[in-house]
Amino acid sequence: MSLKNVRLEVMQFLEKDVDALIEKYLIPIDTIWQPTDFLPNSEGKDEAFFEEIKEIRELAKELPYDFWVVLVGDMITEEALPTYESWLMDVEGVDQVGEGGNGWSKWVKQWTAEENRHGDVLNKYLYLSGRVNMKEVEKTTQHLIADGFDIGTDRDPYKNFVYTSFQELATYISHNRVAKIAKSKGNKRLAKMCQIISGDEMRHHHAYSEFIERIFEVDPNQMMMAFYYMMKQKITMPAHFLRESGGKIGTAFEEFSNTAQRIGVYTSRDYVEILEKLIARWKIDTITNLDDDAEKARDYLMKLPQRMYRLADRMKIPENSYQFKWVEPAVSK
Ligand SMILES: [Fe+2]
Ligand SMILES: [Fe+2]
């Protein structure tokens, strides 16, 4: 049987548990938080509404230029959700056609519905903050969706679930750090918002990691090879094609990523720590009965964090901020 057929069989085998996994890891729509829980109530009295907006704008002044760049980049990454949903719908074993689609497509749809609130709440907050050039931000979002992405996973469910396990943890870290910075500047509203988003990301991370655990149980050799392959080629960030208006595809990504490193929201050490967490979570060191190739892949994976820490420590981040079109320099600290 071809590798592709085995993967399909494994996906079908695991599909019977998807409903239970949805129940375990996703929260029913009527009870989960919504963006409006963290935003001024526009249906309320004029005065109260305007007071809250005034407060949002005042507190926003306390946060520095690089912070806004990172928050904008994080928001745009969330807003490119159509790209992620369409990518995942195309993975082998996911099928949305037919009555309600198959179990895996149900997962993708309900995961997307949860994720959709992230870009939504951040977008509304940024609009109210008065600190960013929303039209430029909107153009970048549209560009990013139009440019799509290629994360090197093909349609392979194993590789895609490695990718999502990694990325959900990466977004947990960055939203969580943003929340901490906001809190340190007295911005409780923004801190709560980012904190609750990071909670969603953590839940999603646990879900995708469990998918991988289950695949390891039934197809350890190929699962090991897929993990190896993804880490060897490195996990590309979902916004790697980021550009500003008038810019070439991908040209804004490096500066965005430098900015996030500079303020400690997401660093190259974080990348390695995520890798270590995945290795520990999937108990890579104790998986037995592997074939030769998978054994070699396991060896490579086990040694990779130490090698990557050495590289990460040597990395130099530019000290000066890069001027994006998204955030006005005049009011920046
Ligand atoms: Fe998200
Ligand atoms: Fe996420």
Side-chain angles (χ1 to χ4, degrees):
M1 232 190 319
S2 74
L3 289 181
K4 190 178 142 184
N5 289 343
V6 174
R7 278 159 164 68
L8 259 179
E9 231 176 54
V10 169
M11 284 293 275
Q12 279 158 8
F13 170 72
L14 297 176
E15 200 185 320
K16 59 180 179 4
D17 297 329
V18 172
D19 279 342
L21 290 164
I22 287 175
E23 207 176 319
K24 182 171 174 192
Y25 290 110
L26 300 179
I27 298 175
I29 295 169
D30 292 340
T31 49
I32 200 170
W33 66 271
Q34 294 297 338
T36 44
D37 300 339
F38 301 90
L39 293 161
N41 178 8
S42 62
E43 243 187 352
K45 290 210 173 88
D46 284 358
E47 227 165 277
F49 179 63
F50 294 137
E51 256 326 294
E52 280 190 74
I53 290 178
K54 233 169 99 184
E55 192 196 76
I56 286 177
R57 296 169 68 88
E58 277 308 309
L59 286 170
K61 290 179 186 150
E62 300 300 314
L63 289 154
Y65 173 83
D66 277 351
F67 177 88
W68 293 102
V69 167
V70 170
L71 191 56
V72 164
D74 286 352
M75 182 273 261
I76 293 167
T77 306
E78 295 285 351
E79 289 283 59
L81 185 61
T83 302
Y84 319 142
E85 182 180 28
S86 60
W87 187 276
L88 290 174
M89 276 301 184
D90 208 25
V91 167
E92 299 285 357
V94 182
D95 187 1
Q96 64 177 322
V97 179
E99 213 182 313
N102 73 356
W104 285 111
S105 82
K106 241 195 259 174
W107 166 268
V108 174
K109 282 182 278 186
Q110 294 191 32
W111 168 84
T112 303
E114 279 203 359
E115 283 285 342
N116 189 55
R117 294 137 55 252
H118 301 168
D120 188 352
V121 68
L122 293 176
N123 194 326
K124 284 174 178 136
Y125 171 81
L126 282 169
Y127 172 73
L128 294 175
S129 76
R131 291 296 307 269
V132 304
N133 182 332
M134 280 310 282
K135 183 140 187 185
E136 285 299 332
V137 172
E138 287 161 352
K139 284 183 192 172
T140 299
T141 304
Q142 190 173 347
H143 270 300
L144 187 61
I145 295 173
D147 289 332
F149 73 177
D150 184 1
I151 48 176
T153 53
D154 304 315
R155 294 195 168 81
D156 179 347
Y158 299 7
K159 288 179 191 165
N160 273 285
F161 291 159
V162 169
Y163 184 84
T164 47
S165 299
F166 190 103
Q167 270 311 323
E168 295 286 4
L169 198 48
T171 46
Y172 160 79
I173 292 171
S174 48
H175 289 305
N176 191 259
R177 300 253 173 85
V178 167
K180 280 190 182 138
I181 298 174
K183 198 174 171 196
S184 75
K185 298 285 182 185
N187 199 326
K188 282 192 201 140
R189 182 194 299 269
L190 180 57
K192 272 193 214 154
M193 217 180 276
C194 295
Q195 189 75 51
I196 202 146
I197 295 173
S198 75
D200 284 5
E201 309 293 19
M202 185 53 104
R203 254 189 307 111
H204 297 163
H205 159 70
H206 285 307
Y208 285 113
S209 300
E210 182 167 345
F211 300 169
I212 296 281
E213 260 160 21
R214 287 168 179 246
I215 298 172
F216 263 122
E217 280 167 22
V218 290
D219 192 6
N221 288 316
Q222 283 310 309
M223 190 56 247
M224 189 67 80
M225 295 311 291
F227 186 23
Y228 159 79
Y229 177 89
M230 287 309 292
M231 296 322 300
K232 192 163 187 215
Q233 71 162 7
K234 290 201 182 78
I235 302 282
T236 334
M237 292 296 129
H240 65 286
F241 283 164
L242 200 71
R243 60 163 113 185
E244 292 188 281
S245 64
K248 285 209 178 72
I249 185 166
T251 44
F253 180 73
E254 196 182 335
E255 293 298 348
F256 161 58
S257 151
N258 284 342
T259 312
Q261 294 236 31
R262 196 160 45 238
I263 63 170
V265 162
Y266 184 74
T267 69
S268 35
R269 281 193 78 86
D270 290 321
Y271 182 101
V272 195
E273 277 171 26
I274 294 171
L275 170 60
E276 278 188 319
K277 287 207 171 95
L278 296 180
I279 289 172
R281 164 85 196 234
W282 296 327
K283 303 192 174 67
I284 296 301
D285 58 334
T286 62
I287 294 174
T288 48
N289 288 329
L290 293 171
D291 63 25
D292 285 354
D293 284 348
E295 273 296 350
K296 272 186 215 145
R298 185 241 295 275
D299 277 354
Y300 175 90
L301 284 163
M302 292 305 296
K303 285 180 193 142
L304 190 56
Q306 285 319 311
R307 271 176 49 199
M308 292 197 78
Y309 275 128
R310 286 198 290 275
L311 288 174
D313 289 341
R314 260 184 267 149
M315 258 187 76
K316 290 262 176 296
I317 303 304
E319 271 170 41
N320 294 328
S321 298
Y322 174 83
Q323 183 55 55
F324 283 88
K325 292 178 178 174
W326 310 327
V327 187
E328 302 297 335
V331 287
S332 303
K333 287 182 194 173

